[in-house]
Amino acid sequence: MTLTVQPHRETLGLKDGRLLIGGEFRETDETWTHHHPATGEVIGSFAVASAKDVDAAVLAARKAFDEGTWGRSKAGERIRVLRRYSDLLREHSDELRGLQALDNGVPLSFGQIYATSVGIAADIFDHHAGWIDKVGGQTLPPYQGGDHLAMTFREPVGVVAAILPWNAPFVLFAQKLAPALAAGCTVVVKPSEYASFCVIRMVELLIEAGLPEGVINLVTGPGDPTGEALITHPAVDKISFTGSRAVGRRIVEASAGTMKRVSLELGGKSPALVFADAPNVGLAAMTCMGMVTMGLSGQACVAHTRALVQRDVQEEFVASASMLAGAVTFGDPFDPAVLASPLINSRQLDRVLGYIQRGQEDGARLVTGGTRLEGDLASGNFVAPTVFADARNDMTIARDEIFGPVLTVVPFDDEEEAIRLANDTEYGLGAGVYTNDVRRAFRVSKRLRVGMVGINGFQLEPHVPFGGYKQSGLGREGGQSAYEAYTELKTVMMPLTDELM
């Protein structure tokens, strides 16, 4: 039986997407047709913003920032809007998860997990609403003598370009827009062309929550022309981007001319260091394999796709990982029995299959998977969960971010070798350490050149910083550091003369 998702489109009442510029929804002459990754069916279309459209959106955000009241509004007003929005997200959770399933094929069964959860997005808005009346400046006493007072203030950075990936639109929309709006910025948001419908609806709900006209603007379309016009616009003060290193480098280049502030999260090849004294080697394997297969099928920057396993327990680890790989189910993302998504498009499908072929050519042992799924799933971009064992850290499959359901297992002999292998990468986003030795856990964590380390598991929370070292990006999202990243720090020096006392 041929797989189809068309009935779900009709149930959700999906409409073609429009731009939002200065409080006005607009259509365009050019549109993007979206094909569902699980079936190849045409799901719908949305407007492609031209350079002229992007210019209008940025200028609307500029006007709202320079002439509007959002950035100068009382803390209570911004708190009220963001918390009302958080409530709306929870109220529309089922609808939004359905739209995401139509966008990128992430199954509804996975909708409670961090990267795909509407509830976590709502929590992020709640969290940043809480910073609005708490982050201020300082009053500093004279340092060199004299009658003067130094004060610092935090002010919104200005117009923000928020550019989202397709794999986790809910959470990354929140990670970027919640601190930006809390700080008093205005925003032009561009979702990925592969996950626009759920973001369009999230923007509509922001308007319903009471956000003033022009504070939020939406431009849809691919990197060329839409994204390029946005990152090069001289009236944009800050760019926040999550995606590939190639695009990240282009953003850094484009930002140099006007010294735009930049936050980048550019992916990873995150290692899990599994020692023989791990509390449960099998559970460690299933945790890693779950991150590589369940839900997003390994299409997540923080997934632990490189398992460094102490040689004595490699086979136990591989057996457990392979068992979970065989239990993953694919198909209609609206079916509660389906646990994992397809790859986002045919280009990514070919890329992942090419890496699997390269792994075999380089001499890694293919334990399970490695093929495209056929039969009823032949029209979708499905790849069987794949495990390689006895790999070397210099192999392509151990170095490149594959962005697919492929786990590469590299054996090691001792702690020093494990740390050396873990740090031998261009990336530095996340890592896991699996051990029953508390001293080792902290000792190893301190030496890993990554932004986030999980001990015997991995958890992402709204109030903790998220980001990486090296080529995994610049800056952090989450927590107070994210809020401050959307502000400028101003110093005011005031002489204490009789006239001012």
Side-chain angles (χ1 to χ4, degrees), residues 253-283:
E253 293 172 357
S255 68
T258 54
M259 293 296 175
K260 299 184 195 321
R261 279 54 177 150
V262 175
S263 296
L264 304 173
E265 195 275 285
L266 306 178
K269 191 68 176 177
S270 300
L273 289 72
V274 183
F275 292 90
D277 67 348
N280 188 321
V281 172
L283 183 58

Short mmCIF file of all heavy atoms in Angstrom, two decimals, residues 253-283:
data_model
loop_
_atom_site.label_atom_id
_atom_site.label_comp_id
_atom_site.label_asym_id
_atom_site.label_seq_id
_atom_site.Cartn_x
_atom_site.Cartn_y
_atom_site.Cartn_z
N GLU A 253 31.28 36.57 6.96
CA GLU A 253 31.78 37.45 5.92
C GLU A 253 30.82 38.62 5.69
O GLU A 253 31.23 39.79 5.61
CB GLU A 253 31.95 36.68 4.61
CG GLU A 253 33.04 35.62 4.64
CD GLU A 253 33.02 34.76 3.39
OE1 GLU A 253 32.12 34.97 2.54
OE2 GLU A 253 33.89 33.89 3.24
N ALA A 254 29.53 38.30 5.59
CA ALA A 254 28.54 39.32 5.30
C ALA A 254 28.38 40.31 6.45
O ALA A 254 28.03 41.47 6.22
CB ALA A 254 27.19 38.67 4.99
N SER A 255 28.64 39.87 7.66
CA SER A 255 28.45 40.74 8.83
C SER A 255 29.60 41.71 9.02
O SER A 255 29.45 42.72 9.72
CB SER A 255 28.30 39.88 10.09
OG SER A 255 29.52 39.22 10.39
N ALA A 256 30.73 41.44 8.40
CA ALA A 256 31.93 42.24 8.67
C ALA A 256 31.76 43.70 8.24
O ALA A 256 32.23 44.61 8.92
CB ALA A 256 33.13 41.63 7.97
N GLY A 257 31.09 43.92 7.12
CA GLY A 257 30.99 45.28 6.59
C GLY A 257 30.31 46.24 7.52
O GLY A 257 30.70 47.42 7.60
N THR A 258 29.30 45.81 8.25
CA THR A 258 28.58 46.69 9.18
C THR A 258 28.74 46.25 10.64
O THR A 258 28.03 46.74 11.51
CB THR A 258 27.08 46.72 8.82
OG1 THR A 258 26.57 45.38 8.77
CG2 THR A 258 26.86 47.39 7.48
N MET A 259 29.65 45.33 10.89
CA MET A 259 29.94 44.85 12.24
C MET A 259 28.68 44.34 12.95
O MET A 259 28.43 44.63 14.12
CB MET A 259 30.61 45.93 13.09
CG MET A 259 31.98 46.30 12.62
SD MET A 259 33.13 44.90 12.77
CE MET A 259 34.60 45.58 12.00
N LYS A 260 27.88 43.58 12.24
CA LYS A 260 26.69 42.99 12.85
C LYS A 260 27.11 42.04 13.98
O LYS A 260 28.12 41.34 13.87
CB LYS A 260 25.88 42.19 11.83
CG LYS A 260 25.36 42.99 10.66
CD LYS A 260 24.50 42.10 9.78
CE LYS A 260 24.21 42.66 8.42
NZ LYS A 260 23.95 44.07 8.32
N ARG A 261 26.33 42.00 15.03
CA ARG A 261 26.53 40.99 16.07
C ARG A 261 26.07 39.65 15.50
O ARG A 261 25.09 39.58 14.76
CB ARG A 261 25.74 41.34 17.32
CG ARG A 261 26.40 42.36 18.23
CD ARG A 261 26.79 43.63 17.56
NE ARG A 261 27.36 44.59 18.50
CZ ARG A 261 28.26 45.50 18.16
NH1 ARG A 261 28.70 45.56 16.91
NH2 ARG A 261 28.72 46.35 19.06
N VAL A 262 26.76 38.58 15.85
CA VAL A 262 26.49 37.28 15.26
C VAL A 262 26.45 36.19 16.33
O VAL A 262 27.34 36.14 17.18
CB VAL A 262 27.55 36.91 14.19
CG1 VAL A 262 27.32 35.51 13.65
CG2 VAL A 262 27.54 37.92 13.04
N SER A 263 25.42 35.35 16.27
CA SER A 263 25.37 34.12 17.06
C SER A 263 25.20 32.97 16.08
O SER A 263 24.28 33.00 15.24
CB SER A 263 24.20 34.14 18.06
OG SER A 263 24.37 35.16 19.01
N LEU A 264 26.05 31.97 16.18
CA LEU A 264 26.03 30.86 15.23
C LEU A 264 26.09 29.53 15.96
O LEU A 264 26.91 29.34 16.86
CB LEU A 264 27.24 30.94 14.27
CG LEU A 264 27.43 32.22 13.47
CD1 LEU A 264 28.76 32.17 12.73
CD2 LEU A 264 26.29 32.42 12.49
N GLU A 265 25.24 28.60 15.56
CA GLU A 265 25.35 27.21 16.01
C GLU A 265 25.45 26.36 14.76
O GLU A 265 24.52 26.28 13.97
CB GLU A 265 24.13 26.82 16.86
CG GLU A 265 24.35 25.54 17.65
CD GLU A 265 24.04 24.32 16.83
OE1 GLU A 265 22.87 24.04 16.62
OE2 GLU A 265 25.01 23.64 16.39
N LEU A 266 26.63 25.73 14.56
CA LEU A 266 26.98 25.19 13.25
C LEU A 266 27.20 23.69 13.23
O LEU A 266 27.87 23.17 12.36
CB LEU A 266 28.24 25.90 12.74
CG LEU A 266 28.15 27.43 12.69
CD1 LEU A 266 29.46 28.03 12.23
CD2 LEU A 266 27.01 27.87 11.80
N GLY A 267 26.65 22.97 14.18
CA GLY A 267 26.70 21.52 14.09
C GLY A 267 27.81 20.88 14.89
O GLY A 267 28.54 21.53 15.63
N GLY A 268 27.92 19.57 14.75
CA GLY A 268 28.91 18.86 15.54
C GLY A 268 29.11 17.42 15.09
O GLY A 268 28.39 16.90 14.25
N LYS A 269 30.13 16.83 15.66
CA LYS A 269 30.40 15.40 15.54
C LYS A 269 30.64 14.91 16.96
O LYS A 269 31.74 14.51 17.35
CB LYS A 269 31.61 15.14 14.64
CG LYS A 269 31.77 13.68 14.26
CD LYS A 269 30.67 13.18 13.35
CE LYS A 269 30.92 11.74 12.92
NZ LYS A 269 29.82 11.22 12.08
N SER A 270 29.58 15.00 17.76
CA SER A 270 29.71 14.86 19.21
C SER A 270 30.09 13.44 19.62
O SER A 270 29.44 12.48 19.20
CB SER A 270 28.40 15.27 19.87
OG SER A 270 28.10 16.62 19.57
N PRO A 271 31.10 13.31 20.49
CA PRO A 271 31.52 12.00 20.95
C PRO A 271 30.82 11.58 22.23
O PRO A 271 30.53 12.41 23.10
CB PRO A 271 33.02 12.19 21.20
CG PRO A 271 33.12 13.61 21.66
CD PRO A 271 32.04 14.37 20.90
N ALA A 272 30.56 10.30 22.35
CA ALA A 272 30.16 9.70 23.62
C ALA A 272 31.31 8.82 24.07
O ALA A 272 31.72 7.91 23.34
CB ALA A 272 28.89 8.87 23.45
N LEU A 273 31.89 9.11 25.23
CA LEU A 273 33.01 8.34 25.75
C LEU A 273 32.46 7.30 26.73
O LEU A 273 32.01 7.64 27.83
CB LEU A 273 34.02 9.25 26.47
CG LEU A 273 34.85 10.20 25.60
CD1 LEU A 273 34.01 11.35 25.05
CD2 LEU A 273 36.02 10.76 26.40
N VAL A 274 32.48 6.05 26.31
CA VAL A 274 31.89 4.97 27.11
C VAL A 274 33.01 4.12 27.69
O VAL A 274 33.71 3.40 26.97
CB VAL A 274 30.94 4.11 26.25
CG1 VAL A 274 30.29 3.03 27.11
CG2 VAL A 274 29.89 4.98 25.57
N PHE A 275 33.17 4.22 29.01
CA PHE A 275 34.21 3.46 29.69
C PHE A 275 33.67 2.11 30.15
O PHE A 275 32.45 1.93 30.31
CB PHE A 275 34.76 4.26 30.88
CG PHE A 275 35.51 5.48 30.46
CD1 PHE A 275 34.86 6.71 30.31
CD2 PHE A 275 36.87 5.42 30.22
CE1 PHE A 275 35.56 7.84 29.93
CE2 PHE A 275 37.58 6.54 29.84
CZ PHE A 275 36.92 7.76 29.69
N ALA A 276 34.58 1.19 30.37
CA ALA A 276 34.18 -0.16 30.77
C ALA A 276 33.45 -0.17 32.10
O ALA A 276 32.67 -1.09 32.38
CB ALA A 276 35.41 -1.07 30.83
N ASP A 277 33.66 0.87 32.93
CA ASP A 277 32.99 0.92 34.23
C ASP A 277 31.68 1.72 34.16
O ASP A 277 31.17 2.15 35.20
CB ASP A 277 33.92 1.51 35.28
CG ASP A 277 34.23 2.98 35.05
OD1 ASP A 277 33.91 3.50 33.95
OD2 ASP A 277 34.78 3.63 35.96
N ALA A 278 31.16 1.93 32.97
CA ALA A 278 29.87 2.62 32.84
C ALA A 278 28.81 1.88 33.65
O ALA A 278 28.83 0.64 33.73
CB ALA A 278 29.45 2.71 31.38
N PRO A 279 27.86 2.59 34.27
CA PRO A 279 26.84 1.92 35.07
C PRO A 279 26.08 0.85 34.30
O PRO A 279 25.72 -0.19 34.85
CB PRO A 279 25.91 3.06 35.49
CG PRO A 279 26.75 4.27 35.43
CD PRO A 279 27.72 4.05 34.31
N ASN A 280 25.85 1.11 33.00
CA ASN A 280 25.13 0.15 32.17
C ASN A 280 25.55 0.39 30.73
O ASN A 280 25.08 1.34 30.08
CB ASN A 280 23.62 0.34 32.34
CG ASN A 280 22.82 -0.75 31.65
OD1 ASN A 280 23.15 -1.19 30.55
ND2 ASN A 280 21.75 -1.19 32.29
N VAL A 281 26.45 -0.43 30.22
CA VAL A 281 26.96 -0.25 28.86
C VAL A 281 25.84 -0.36 27.83
O VAL A 281 25.78 0.40 26.86
CB VAL A 281 28.07 -1.28 28.57
CG1 VAL A 281 28.48 -1.24 27.09
CG2 VAL A 281 29.29 -1.01 29.45
N GLY A 282 24.93 -1.30 28.04
CA GLY A 282 23.82 -1.47 27.12
C GLY A 282 22.94 -0.23 27.06
O GLY A 282 22.50 0.19 25.98
N LEU A 283 22.68 0.36 28.22
CA LEU A 283 21.86 1.57 28.26
C LEU A 283 22.59 2.74 27.60
O LEU A 283 21.97 3.56 26.91
CB LEU A 283 21.51 1.92 29.71
CG LEU A 283 20.60 3.13 29.90
CD1 LEU A 283 19.27 2.93 29.16
CD2 LEU A 283 20.35 3.38 31.39
#
